[in-house]
């Protein structure tokens, strides 16, 4: 119960102080719009919503979460208020959970806008809602945990931002969003299968138009595996690097 | 005697650099224990090991008889920590900061609200309760940081340089609060580079320099150990006194003490033994002197510190004042 009070209040504080701030909320709305506009222009006249929809959702989640979490954590570490959290009598696992859930929710929120627009303005359909939900949640978790992974590496806020970009931009090309993975150069393809977003995008494809290339019975467990791996690697790294 | 904290052969290396080297000490329940040393002596490193913010390279940490080395989480509910910088949330109000810190220790909403209000009152910050932390002055920030460490009523309070770099009024207020807290039963572990702070506040003091503890004792014990002679100074009115051969005349009368004439108006009497001043003062009066004052000169903690550590007093003042 005591741990839960701590957990809940850390989450609420982050929500109030970071995620529910107007600039961040508007980011969650404008960013997906910008992506859709870009896709629209790129496709010229024939705008096949079903083919771009998964990509926009994935990008909105990825961009919403990774830098948010890594920047806020690096910021709190610089201001040294993060030490308070480490000094609190709660387990490191609980602490990490409380820090990432805000960002995960923020990622999910970011995905809602493009889904809403696609369905109501472009008449896109969703074949499988539960799988879409699972895909969105897992993508949010895995992107958030990537942000945490970056936060453990970065010392300064600007480093956290730079690393997030290094992480995200190659991912746009690797994950099969613009060019299907099968059409990427052969030597790049293994890299694609090493990034979690590839599996996330494929799950979304399945849920929207069943245009997936991998089985969701593979993609969903792989995504889950990435989550577990990133979570425990980050905890291990926090113990190693933050408690010197 | 109840040892609440024990550090046994603690060491901390950063690469090949030894920041703390094989120190051992204990803190008694209910006392104010001070770590006194210059910049870079290893004070913060020692605190960080004790609170679990730094790993130990070697040695053991024991809280209330239980070994918690490498697993200080177990003891974290017992302790409150005031870091060497004020580290609350800039964007939150004073009141919200305190409540949030209370929640970290699992205090229910009502309890933390009550504690926060009490603490704001005790630290005379009630008027600033709804101001954001970033708008606080340095002294106010320091006070709120201390209040935050007390929200869960810890048995042991760690304070890393609680009064460095803040205004005189706040310093005085904080020192009084430390005494009051201690009187109410909180064990206090503080570090400082102000000798006078250690002397005024601490029951026992450890001198630390270059990662090593040089001496640990009560303030009186340290002073006593550093004293090499009893000294009494007798101040007299300088006129109408035959100062010629005064030292020699006194020496003949009181062979077991050494008498020196100082500044033309003071007789300084030194002895390894307790000095009985009445006969000496009487004899001076018989010479026709008007005695203004006779006082026992006690060495201070500063004298003891300088003597034992070989550190110049100036070294203790630099750098830290800026912050
Ligand atoms: N993370 C670190 N990596 C390398 N060296 C360190 C680290 N932290 C501290 N040191 C070194 O260890 C020594 C002791 O530092 P510490 O901060 O404990 O001193 P201090 O007594 O608290 O000094 P101050 O009065 O300046 O706060 C210093 O020489 C410092 O440079
Ligand atoms: Mg220090």
């Amino acid at each position: 119960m005591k741990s839960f009070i701590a957990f809940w209040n850390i989450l609420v504080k982050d929500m109030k102080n970071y995620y529910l701030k107007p600039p961040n909320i508007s980011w969650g709305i404008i960013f997906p719009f910008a992506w859709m506009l870009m896709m629209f222009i790129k496709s010229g006249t024939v705008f096949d919503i079903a083919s771009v929809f998964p990509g926009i959702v994935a990008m909105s989640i990825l961009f919403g979460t990774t830098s948010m979490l890594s920047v806020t954590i690096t910021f709190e570490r610089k201001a040294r208020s993060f030490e308070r959290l480490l000094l609190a009598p709660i387990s490191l696992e609980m602490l990490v959970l409380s820090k990432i859930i805000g960002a995960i929710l923020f990622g999910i929120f970011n995905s809602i806008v493009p889904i809403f627009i696609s369905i109501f303005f472009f008449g896109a359909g969703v074949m499988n809602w539960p799988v879409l939900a699972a895909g969105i949640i897992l993508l949010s978790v895995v992107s958030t945990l990537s942000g945490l992974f970056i936060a453990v590496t970065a010392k300064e806020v600007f480093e956290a931002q730079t690393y997030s970009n290094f992480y995200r931009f190659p991912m746009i090309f690797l994950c099969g969003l613009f060019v299907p993975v099968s059409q990427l150069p052969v030597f790049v393809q293994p890299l694609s299968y090493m990034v979690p977003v590839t599996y996330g995008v494929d799950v979304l494809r399945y849920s929207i138009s069943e245009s997936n290339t991998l089985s969701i019975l593979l993609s969903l467990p792989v995504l889950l595996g990435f989550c577990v791996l990133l979570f425990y690697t980050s905890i291990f790294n926090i113990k190693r690097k933050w408690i010197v | 005697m109840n040892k609440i904290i024990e550090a046994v052969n603690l060491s901390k290396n950063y690469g090949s650099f030894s920041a703390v080297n094989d120190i051992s000490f204990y803190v008694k329940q209910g006392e104010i224990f001070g770590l006194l040393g210059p910049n870079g002596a290893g004070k913060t490193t020692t605190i960080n090991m004790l609170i679990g913010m730094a790993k130990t390279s070697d040695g053991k940490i024991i809280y209330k008889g239980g070994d918690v080395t490498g697993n200080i989480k177990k003891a974290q509910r017992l302790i409150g920590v005031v870091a060497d910088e004020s580290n609350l949330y800039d964007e939150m109000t004073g009141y919200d900061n305190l409540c949030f810190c209370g929640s970290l220790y699992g205090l229910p909403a009502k309890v933390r609200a009550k504690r926060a209000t009490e603490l704001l009152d005790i630290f005379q910050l009630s008027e600033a309760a709804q101001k954001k932390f970033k708008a606080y002055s340095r002294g106010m920030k320091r006070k709120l940081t201390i209040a935050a460490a007390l929200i869960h009523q810890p048995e042991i309070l760690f304070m890393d340089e609680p009064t460095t770099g803040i205004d005189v009024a706040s310093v005085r207020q904080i020192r009084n609060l430390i005494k009051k807290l201690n009187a109410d039963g909180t064990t206090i572990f503080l570090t400082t580079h102000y000798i006078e702070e250690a002397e005024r506040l601490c029951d026992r003091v450890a001198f630390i320099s270059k990662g090593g503890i040089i001496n640990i004792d009560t303030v009186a014990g340290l002073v006593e150990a550093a004293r090499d002679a009893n000294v009494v100074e007798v101040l007299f009115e300088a006129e109408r006194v035959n100062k010629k051969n005064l030292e020699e005349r006194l020496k003949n009368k009181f062979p077991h003490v050494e008498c020196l004439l100082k500044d033309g108006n003071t007789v300084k009497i030194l002895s390894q033994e307790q000095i009985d001043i009445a006969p000496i003062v009487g004899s001076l009066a018989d010479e026709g002197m008007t005695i203004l004052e006779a006082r026992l000169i006690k060495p201070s903690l500063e004298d003891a510190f300088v003597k034992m550590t070989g550190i110049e007093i100036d070294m203790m003042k630099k750098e830290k004042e800026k912050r």
Side-chain angles (χ1 to χ4, degrees):
Chain A
M1 185 59 200
K2 284 190 168 163
S3 285
F4 179 76
I5 292 178
F7 166 86
W8 178 251
N9 281 278
I10 294 170
L11 176 58
V12 169
K13 177 194 75 70
D14 280 3
M15 281 292 184
K16 274 196 210 151
N17 286 6
Y18 306 123
Y19 303 111
L20 295 179
K21 287 267 146 112
N24 291 326
I25 294 196
S26 48
W27 161 270
I29 294 167
I30 292 167
F31 187 79
F33 258 124
W35 272 101
M36 295 196 87
L37 194 65
M38 202 175 94
M39 293 291 198
F40 187 64
I41 293 166
K42 181 179 154 259
S43 66
T45 47
V46 245
F47 183 50
D48 177 12
I49 187 70
S51 71
V52 297
F53 181 11
I56 292 168
V57 171
M59 285 303 107
S60 303
I61 294 174
L62 185 64
F63 277 75
T65 51
T66 11
S67 61
M68 258 318 245
L69 187 71
S70 60
V71 167
T72 53
I73 289 189
T74 316
F75 175 76
E76 288 189 2
R77 292 240 311 132
K78 275 303 271 186
R80 293 188 53 185
S81 53
F82 202 85
E83 283 173 20
R84 293 189 175 277
L85 308 181
L86 291 173
L87 282 173
I90 55 170
S91 68
L92 204 50
E93 286 79 4
M94 196 76 164
L95 167 59
V96 168
L97 273 180
S98 69
K99 291 303 276 186
I100 63 177
I101 286 183
I104 293 170
L105 293 176
F106 187 68
I108 295 172
F109 164 77
N110 274 320
S111 74
I112 289 173
V113 178
I115 291 174
F116 186 85
I117 296 174
S118 303
I119 293 174
F120 288 95
F121 290 89
F122 295 100
V126 173
M127 308 269 284
N128 193 329
W129 280 100
V131 174
L132 179 67
I136 286 171
I137 292 170
L138 282 172
L139 252 178
S140 297
V141 175
V142 92
S143 313
T144 301
L145 286 167
S146 311
L148 177 65
F149 190 78
I150 291 164
V152 187
T153 318
K155 285 204 180 66
E156 306 283 340
V157 173
F158 78 88
E159 280 178 1
Q161 267 158 337
T162 317
Y163 295 160
S164 319
N165 287 335
F166 264 117
Y167 175 82
R168 291 183 302 201
F169 284 105
M171 204 152 285
I172 303 176
F173 299 100
L174 287 174
C175 73
L177 197 59
F178 292 116
V179 185
V181 174
S182 58
Q183 286 170 34
L184 288 171
V186 181
F187 62 93
V188 180
Q189 287 185 18
L191 282 179
S192 290
Y193 291 110
M194 281 156 69
V195 292
V197 184
T198 307
Y199 302 91
V201 169
D202 212 58
V203 169
L204 296 182
R205 284 229 165 91
Y206 170 85
S207 69
I208 290 160
S209 57
E210 287 187 353
S211 57
N212 52 315
T213 50
L214 303 163
S215 161
I216 60 157
L217 292 178
L218 172 73
S219 300
L220 288 176
V222 168
L223 274 175
L224 204 60
F226 267 114
C227 294
V228 173
L229 183 73
L230 281 168
F231 182 77
Y232 284 104
T233 322
S234 298
I235 297 229
F236 175 80
N237 278 335
I238 288 172
K239 282 190 188 148
R240 197 170 53 94
K241 296 177 96 170
W242 289 355
I243 302 172
V244 287
Chain B
M1 173 192 49
N2 226 337
K3 295 177 185 173
I4 197 161
I5 311 172
E6 266 184 278
V8 185
N9 303 114
L10 271 193
S11 293
K12 177 69 188 178
N13 308 320
Y14 290 111
S16 61
F17 176 75
S18 164
V20 168
N21 185 15
D22 193 19
I23 62 172
S24 298
F25 60 87
Y26 59 85
V27 179
K28 285 191 245 180
Q29 180 137 28
E31 76 174 342
I32 304 185
F33 183 88
L35 212 49
L36 174 67
N39 290 147
K43 303 184 292 294
T44 301
T45 307
T46 305
I47 282 206
N48 281 346
M49 285 193 282
L50 293 178
I51 63 175
M53 290 304 297
K55 295 187 186 101
T56 53
S57 301
D58 204 0
K60 272 200 296 193
I61 295 168
I62 296 164
Y63 275 90
K64 292 189 151 182
D67 190 338
V68 293
T69 321
N71 185 16
I72 306 237
K73 277 272 169 228
K74 278 197 221 160
Q76 273 176 340
R77 212 171 277 284
L78 287 182
I79 65 177
V81 178
V82 181
D84 55 356
E85 284 171 45
S86 300
N87 58 351
L88 285 160
Y89 298 89
D90 269 343
E91 296 300 326
M92 283 160 64
T93 65
Y95 177 80
D96 285 347
N97 262 302
L98 293 186
C99 287
F100 176 69
C101 291
S103 75
L104 292 179
Y105 291 83
L107 301 187
K110 269 193 192 143
V111 178
R112 50 183 198 261
K114 183 165 165 281
R115 279 289 290 159
T117 313
E118 276 169 17
L119 285 166
L120 286 165
D121 187 45
I122 294 172
F123 284 82
Q124 296 177 14
L125 291 169
S126 299
E127 278 175 24
Q130 296 306 328
K131 271 195 200 162
K132 284 189 176 176
F133 186 65
K134 67 178 173 193
Y136 278 30
S137 75
R138 216 179 267 196
M140 289 160 83
K141 281 186 174 172
R142 202 74 193 133
K143 285 192 278 181
L144 196 74
T145 309
I146 298 173
L150 293 171
I151 191 99
H152 60 295
Q153 297 175 296
E155 281 183 50
I156 310 167
L157 181 65
F158 286 93
M159 308 175 103
D160 198 354
E161 308 212 6
T163 61
T164 298
I166 54 176
D167 61 289
V168 185
S170 300
V171 169
R172 189 154 47 169
Q173 211 183 349
I174 288 173
R175 286 183 185 161
N176 287 337
L177 276 160
I178 293 176
K179 276 193 209 148
K180 170 127 201 323
L181 265 173
N182 179 250
D184 293 343
T186 309
T187 305
I188 291 173
F189 184 111
L190 61 82
T191 73
T192 181
H193 66 282
Y194 295 126
I195 296 174
E196 131 258 5
E197 178 161 285
E199 186 162 21
R200 268 201 228 168
L201 285 180
C202 298
D203 295 308
R204 289 189 314 129
V205 177
F207 290 161
I208 182 169
S209 168
K210 295 183 186 147
I213 286 184
I214 291 166
N215 222 329
I216 308 179
D217 206 341
T218 57
V219 172
L222 287 164
V223 168
E224 185 60 37
R227 182 165 70 176
D228 40 21
N230 292 301
V231 181
V232 173
E233 285 187 349
V234 180
L235 188 72
F236 55 86
E237 209 154 309
E239 285 91 48
R240 301 181 290 105
V241 172
N242 177 14
K243 279 175 262 184
K244 228 167 140 193
N245 303 332
L246 180 65
E247 288 179 2
E248 222 161 284
R249 273 178 281 135
L250 284 167
K251 179 132 196 105
N252 292 337
K253 274 196 209 160
F254 307 100
H256 57 286
V257 301
E258 190 182 352
C259 295
L260 301 166
L261 190 60
K262 193 177 120 189
D263 306 332
N265 65 351
T266 306
V267 178
K268 188 172 179 180
I269 305 154
L270 297 106
S271 168
Q272 293 305 318
E273 326 268 285
Q274 190 86 19
I275 300 172
D276 184 10
I277 52 171
I280 304 177
V281 171
S283 158
L284 290 171
D286 288 346
E287 294 236 352
M289 277 187 189
T290 311
I291 308 289
L292 298 174
E293 192 187 349
R295 59 172 183 243
L296 184 67
I297 304 295
K298 278 201 219 149
S300 63
L301 191 64
E302 180 170 310
D303 298 325
F305 184 81
V306 171
K307 191 163 169 200
M308 289 173 182
T309 62
I311 293 168
E312 296 285 329
I313 288 309
D314 283 352
M315 289 286 298
M316 298 293 285
K317 304 226 163 92
K318 265 180 261 163
E319 286 182 53
K320 274 310 177 72
E321 253 66 58
K322 308 178 259 199
R323 228 196 277 141

